[in-house]
Amino acid sequence: MYKRQQTPRSAFYVFLNGIKEDFSSKRVSERFETPAGRQGQFDWSPYTVPIGGQLTKVVVFAFTLCYSRRKHHFASLDESQGSCFEAMEDSFWHFGGVPEEVLVDNSRNFVLDAAPLHFQWNPKFLEFCGYYRFKPVACKLGRAKTKGKVERPFFYLEQHFIKGRSFRDFDHFCDELSRFEREQLDMCIHSTTQRRPIDLFEDERDLLTPLPPGRFVSTRELFRKVSWDCLISFNGTRYSVPWPYAVSYTHLRAHETRHDLVCRLLLE
Protein backbone atom coordinates (compact mmCIF):
# COMPACT_ATOMS: atom_id res chain seq x y z
CA MET A 1 0.00 0.00 0.00
CA TYR A 2 1.20 3.42 -0.87
CA LYS A 3 2.14 5.52 2.19
CA ARG A 4 2.13 9.23 1.79
CA GLN A 5 5.32 10.90 2.95
CA GLN A 6 4.97 13.76 5.42
CA THR A 7 6.13 17.12 4.20
CA PRO A 8 8.89 18.58 6.40
CA ARG A 9 7.65 21.53 8.44
CA SER A 10 9.04 24.89 7.48
CA ALA A 11 11.42 26.74 9.76
CA PHE A 12 8.73 29.33 10.45
CA TYR A 13 6.27 26.80 11.90
CA VAL A 14 8.99 25.11 13.93
CA PHE A 15 9.85 28.51 15.43
CA LEU A 16 6.17 29.37 16.05
CA ASN A 17 5.54 26.05 17.77
CA GLY A 18 8.50 26.70 20.08
CA ILE A 19 7.04 30.03 21.12
CA LYS A 20 3.68 28.42 21.91
CA GLU A 21 5.30 25.74 24.04
CA ASP A 22 7.35 28.35 25.88
CA PHE A 23 4.31 30.46 26.75
CA SER A 24 2.14 27.49 27.65
CA SER A 25 4.69 26.39 30.25
CA LYS A 26 4.68 29.76 32.04
CA ARG A 27 2.03 31.56 34.01
CA VAL A 28 2.14 35.18 32.92
CA SER A 29 1.10 37.82 35.45
CA GLU A 30 0.26 41.46 34.96
CA ARG A 31 1.01 43.92 37.75
CA PHE A 32 -2.00 45.88 38.91
CA GLU A 33 -2.24 48.98 41.03
CA THR A 34 -5.06 50.08 43.32
CA PRO A 35 -6.29 53.61 44.07
CA ALA A 36 -5.43 55.30 47.35
CA GLY A 37 -7.33 53.88 50.31
CA ARG A 38 -8.70 50.94 48.35
CA GLN A 39 -6.74 47.88 49.48
CA GLY A 40 -4.42 46.54 52.15
CA GLN A 41 -2.66 43.15 52.20
CA PHE A 42 -2.02 41.07 55.31
CA ASP A 43 0.33 38.14 55.84
CA TRP A 44 2.90 36.73 58.27
CA SER A 45 6.09 34.71 58.40
CA PRO A 46 7.77 32.72 61.22
CA TYR A 47 11.45 33.17 62.06
CA THR A 48 13.86 31.51 64.46
CA VAL A 49 15.62 34.35 66.26
CA PRO A 50 18.28 34.42 69.02
CA ILE A 51 16.49 36.04 71.96
CA GLY A 52 18.07 36.11 75.40
CA GLY A 53 20.69 33.58 74.33
CA GLN A 54 18.11 31.04 73.11
CA LEU A 55 16.67 30.32 69.66
CA THR A 56 13.04 31.42 69.78
CA LYS A 57 10.26 31.15 67.21
CA VAL A 58 8.90 34.60 66.49
CA VAL A 59 6.03 35.30 64.10
CA VAL A 60 6.17 38.64 62.29
CA PHE A 61 2.88 39.91 60.87
CA ALA A 62 2.90 42.50 58.11
CA PHE A 63 0.20 44.81 56.79
CA THR A 64 0.87 46.77 53.58
CA LEU A 65 -1.19 49.62 52.14
CA CYS A 66 -1.14 48.82 48.43
CA TYR A 67 -1.18 52.38 47.12
CA SER A 68 1.51 53.99 49.25
CA ARG A 69 3.38 50.72 50.04
CA ARG A 70 3.57 51.83 53.67
CA LYS A 71 4.03 48.82 55.96
CA HIS A 72 3.44 48.00 59.57
CA HIS A 73 4.87 44.97 61.39
CA PHE A 74 3.66 43.28 64.54
CA ALA A 75 5.55 40.53 66.35
CA SER A 76 4.02 37.67 68.31
CA LEU A 77 4.96 34.27 69.67
CA ASP A 78 2.28 32.38 67.76
CA GLU A 79 0.03 32.69 64.70
CA SER A 80 -3.35 32.04 66.28
CA GLN A 81 -6.51 33.80 65.18
CA GLY A 82 -6.33 36.13 68.16
CA SER A 83 -2.78 37.13 67.22
CA CYS A 84 -3.87 37.76 63.61
CA PHE A 85 -6.68 40.02 64.75
CA GLU A 86 -4.42 41.88 67.16
CA ALA A 87 -1.77 42.40 64.47
CA MET A 88 -4.30 43.64 61.92
CA GLU A 89 -5.94 45.88 64.49
CA ASP A 90 -2.59 47.31 65.55
CA SER A 91 -1.92 48.18 61.89
CA PHE A 92 -5.22 50.05 61.56
CA TRP A 93 -4.46 52.17 64.61
CA HIS A 94 -0.90 52.72 63.43
CA PHE A 95 -2.15 54.09 60.08
CA GLY A 96 -5.04 55.97 61.67
CA GLY A 97 -7.64 54.34 59.42
CA VAL A 98 -8.77 51.25 57.51
CA PRO A 99 -8.64 50.55 53.73
CA GLU A 100 -11.83 49.60 51.90
CA GLU A 101 -10.76 45.97 51.52
CA VAL A 102 -8.13 43.67 53.01
CA LEU A 103 -6.59 40.80 51.06
CA VAL A 104 -5.79 37.71 53.15
CA ASP A 105 -4.77 34.13 52.47
CA ASN A 106 -6.94 31.04 52.98
CA SER A 107 -5.78 30.27 56.51
CA ARG A 108 -8.40 28.75 58.83
CA ASN A 109 -8.11 31.94 60.83
CA PHE A 110 -10.02 33.64 58.01
CA VAL A 111 -11.56 30.97 55.77
CA LEU A 112 -13.30 27.76 56.82
CA ASP A 113 -13.69 26.37 53.30
CA ALA A 114 -11.67 27.79 50.37
CA ALA A 115 -13.23 25.60 47.65
CA PRO A 116 -14.78 27.90 45.02
CA LEU A 117 -18.16 26.14 45.08
CA HIS A 118 -18.36 25.94 48.87
CA PHE A 119 -16.43 29.02 49.96
CA GLN A 120 -17.09 29.99 53.57
CA TRP A 121 -15.58 32.75 55.67
CA ASN A 122 -14.75 32.22 59.32
CA PRO A 123 -17.69 33.82 61.21
CA LYS A 124 -15.43 35.33 63.84
CA PHE A 125 -13.34 37.01 61.14
CA LEU A 126 -16.50 38.44 59.58
CA GLU A 127 -17.36 39.86 62.99
CA PHE A 128 -13.96 41.55 63.04
CA CYS A 129 -14.46 42.87 59.47
CA GLY A 130 -17.85 44.29 60.37
CA TYR A 131 -16.45 46.12 63.37
CA TYR A 132 -13.74 47.85 61.31
CA ARG A 133 -15.98 48.18 58.21
CA PHE A 134 -13.75 46.66 55.54
CA LYS A 135 -14.46 44.08 52.87
CA PRO A 136 -12.47 40.83 53.17
CA VAL A 137 -10.94 39.41 49.98
CA ALA A 138 -9.31 35.96 49.85
CA CYS A 139 -6.48 34.96 47.53
CA LYS A 140 -7.27 32.52 44.78
CA LEU A 141 -6.10 29.01 45.55
CA GLY A 142 -2.57 28.40 44.27
CA ARG A 143 -2.06 32.08 43.43
CA ALA A 144 0.15 33.45 46.20
CA LYS A 145 1.30 36.20 43.81
CA THR A 146 -2.09 37.84 44.36
CA LYS A 147 -0.71 39.39 47.55
CA GLY A 148 2.83 39.88 46.34
CA LYS A 149 2.98 43.43 47.73
CA VAL A 150 3.06 42.01 51.25
CA GLU A 151 4.86 38.69 50.64
CA ARG A 152 7.98 39.92 48.81
CA PRO A 153 9.04 42.41 51.55
CA PHE A 154 9.52 39.53 54.01
CA PHE A 155 12.76 38.67 52.20
CA TYR A 156 13.97 42.25 52.70
CA LEU A 157 13.02 42.07 56.40
CA GLU A 158 14.91 38.81 56.84
CA GLN A 159 18.05 40.05 55.07
CA HIS A 160 18.23 43.56 56.54
CA PHE A 161 16.75 43.20 60.00
CA ILE A 162 16.82 39.63 61.31
CA LYS A 163 19.87 38.01 59.70
CA GLY A 164 22.97 38.06 61.90
CA ARG A 165 21.30 39.79 64.86
CA SER A 166 20.42 38.78 68.39
CA PHE A 167 18.10 40.44 70.92
CA ARG A 168 18.06 40.76 74.70
CA ASP A 169 14.40 39.82 75.05
CA PHE A 170 11.11 39.90 73.16
CA ASP A 171 10.48 43.54 74.04
CA HIS A 172 13.87 44.45 72.59
CA PHE A 173 12.97 42.62 69.36
CA CYS A 174 9.67 44.55 69.11
CA ASP A 175 11.36 47.89 69.79
CA GLU A 176 14.04 47.28 67.18
CA LEU A 177 11.44 46.13 64.66
CA SER A 178 9.52 49.35 65.19
CA ARG A 179 12.69 51.41 64.74
CA PHE A 180 13.61 49.53 61.55
CA GLU A 181 10.15 50.21 60.18
CA ARG A 182 10.26 53.89 61.10
CA GLU A 183 13.82 54.67 60.01
CA GLN A 184 14.20 52.45 56.96
CA LEU A 185 10.97 51.07 55.51
CA ASP A 186 9.09 54.36 55.71
CA MET A 187 12.03 56.33 54.33
CA CYS A 188 13.41 54.17 51.49
CA ILE A 189 12.53 55.05 47.89
CA HIS A 190 10.24 52.30 46.59
CA SER A 191 11.43 50.73 43.34
CA THR A 192 7.95 50.84 41.74
CA THR A 193 6.50 54.15 42.91
CA GLN A 194 9.87 55.95 43.04
CA ARG A 195 8.68 57.72 46.17
CA ARG A 196 9.06 57.22 49.90
CA PRO A 197 6.08 55.35 51.43
CA ILE A 198 5.77 57.92 54.20
CA ASP A 199 5.36 60.70 51.59
CA LEU A 200 2.92 58.80 49.38
CA PHE A 201 0.90 57.92 52.48
CA GLU A 202 -0.08 61.60 52.78
CA ASP A 203 -2.18 61.14 49.62
CA GLU A 204 -3.87 58.11 51.17
CA ARG A 205 -4.35 59.09 54.81
CA ASP A 206 -7.64 61.00 54.42
CA LEU A 207 -9.16 58.30 52.18
CA LEU A 208 -8.97 55.57 54.82
CA THR A 209 -12.13 54.63 56.71
CA PRO A 210 -12.15 56.31 60.17
CA LEU A 211 -11.43 54.14 63.19
CA PRO A 212 -14.19 53.08 65.62
CA PRO A 213 -14.28 54.55 69.17
CA GLY A 214 -12.39 51.65 70.71
CA ARG A 215 -10.63 48.37 70.07
CA PHE A 216 -12.41 45.21 68.93
CA VAL A 217 -14.09 43.17 71.68
CA SER A 218 -15.47 39.93 70.33
CA THR A 219 -18.65 38.44 71.76
CA ARG A 220 -16.88 35.09 71.66
CA GLU A 221 -13.85 36.09 73.73
CA LEU A 222 -13.10 34.67 77.18
CA PHE A 223 -15.10 35.86 80.16
CA ARG A 224 -13.94 35.59 83.74
CA LYS A 225 -15.24 36.78 87.08
CA VAL A 226 -12.76 38.66 89.25
CA SER A 227 -12.53 37.42 92.81
CA TRP A 228 -13.14 39.63 95.83
CA ASP A 229 -9.34 39.93 96.31
CA CYS A 230 -8.88 41.28 92.72
CA LEU A 231 -7.47 38.11 91.13
CA ILE A 232 -8.45 36.43 87.89
CA SER A 233 -7.55 32.93 86.68
CA PHE A 234 -6.16 32.22 83.21
CA ASN A 235 -4.37 29.07 81.99
CA GLY A 236 -3.75 27.86 85.53
CA THR A 237 -2.25 31.16 86.71
CA ARG A 238 -3.87 33.87 88.81
CA TYR A 239 -3.33 37.48 87.77
CA SER A 240 -3.89 40.66 89.72
CA VAL A 241 -6.26 43.27 88.23
CA PRO A 242 -7.17 46.81 89.35
CA TRP A 243 -9.51 46.96 92.37
CA PRO A 244 -12.50 48.51 90.50
CA TYR A 245 -12.89 45.14 88.70
CA ALA A 246 -13.38 43.16 91.93
CA VAL A 247 -16.42 40.85 91.96
CA SER A 248 -17.33 41.77 88.36
CA TYR A 249 -17.17 40.09 84.98
CA THR A 250 -14.39 41.02 82.55
CA HIS A 251 -13.43 40.41 78.96
CA LEU A 252 -10.02 38.73 78.92
CA ARG A 253 -7.52 38.54 76.07
CA ALA A 254 -3.86 37.47 75.93
CA HIS A 255 -1.64 40.17 74.40
CA GLU A 256 0.98 38.99 71.86
CA THR A 257 0.53 35.50 73.41
CA ARG A 258 2.69 36.57 76.36
CA HIS A 259 -0.26 36.37 78.75
CA ASP A 260 -0.19 40.09 79.50
CA LEU A 261 -3.91 40.33 80.16
CA VAL A 262 -6.21 43.02 78.87
CA CYS A 263 -9.32 43.23 81.07
CA ARG A 264 -12.40 45.28 80.33
CA LEU A 265 -15.39 45.68 82.58
CA LEU A 266 -18.51 44.21 80.97
CA LEU A 267 -20.96 43.84 83.82
CA GLU A 268 -21.22 45.55 87.21
Side-chain angles (χ1 to χ4, degrees), residues 90-227:
D90 193 69
S91 300
F92 296 155
W93 288 81
H94 176 76
F95 295 133
V98 185
E100 293 180 19
E101 60 184 38
V102 176
L103 185 66
V104 297
D105 63 15
N106 291 283
S107 163
R108 295 280 295 182
N109 292 335
F110 309 123
V111 178
L112 295 183
D113 190 346
L117 297 179
H118 308 284
F119 187 89
Q120 182 181 1
W121 288 106
N122 186 304
K124 195 169 183 180
F125 178 54
L126 290 181
E127 183 184 353
F128 180 81
C129 298
Y131 183 77
Y132 279 103
R133 296 181 294 165
F134 67 86
K135 176 184 176 183
V137 180
C139 287
K140 294 182 180 179
L141 290 176
R143 293 289 290 168
K145 289 182 179 180
T146 308
K147 54 179 173 47
K149 292 184 180 68
V150 71
E151 283 196 339
R152 284 191 295 271
F154 279 116
F155 178 77
Y156 185 88
L157 181 74
E158 180 178 348
Q159 295 297 313
H160 295 83
F161 174 70
I162 294 178
K163 190 174 182 179
R165 297 190 61 179
S166 60
F167 304 88
R168 293 190 305 272
D169 49 35
F170 186 69
D171 287 332
H172 182 220
F173 178 89
C174 294
D175 291 341
E176 289 297 295
L177 180 62
S178 178
R179 187 171 67 86
F180 174 77
E181 177 183 290
R182 183 176 60 255
E183 296 180 359
Q184 293 197 43
L185 297 182
D186 279 349
M187 300 300 175
C188 291
I189 301 294
H190 194 275
S191 59
T192 300
T193 64
Q194 294 301 306
R195 293 181 63 184
R196 299 190 309 174
I198 193 65
D199 295 333
L200 202 54
F201 176 70
E202 293 303 316
D203 301 335
E204 187 167 34
R205 183 196 303 272
D206 294 337
L207 297 175
L208 298 174
T209 302
L211 293 168
R215 301 268 179 161
F216 175 68
V217 180
S218 172
T219 57
R220 297 179 178 83
E221 292 292 352
L222 298 174
F223 295 91
R224 293 289 189 275
K225 186 175 182 179
V226 182
S227 65

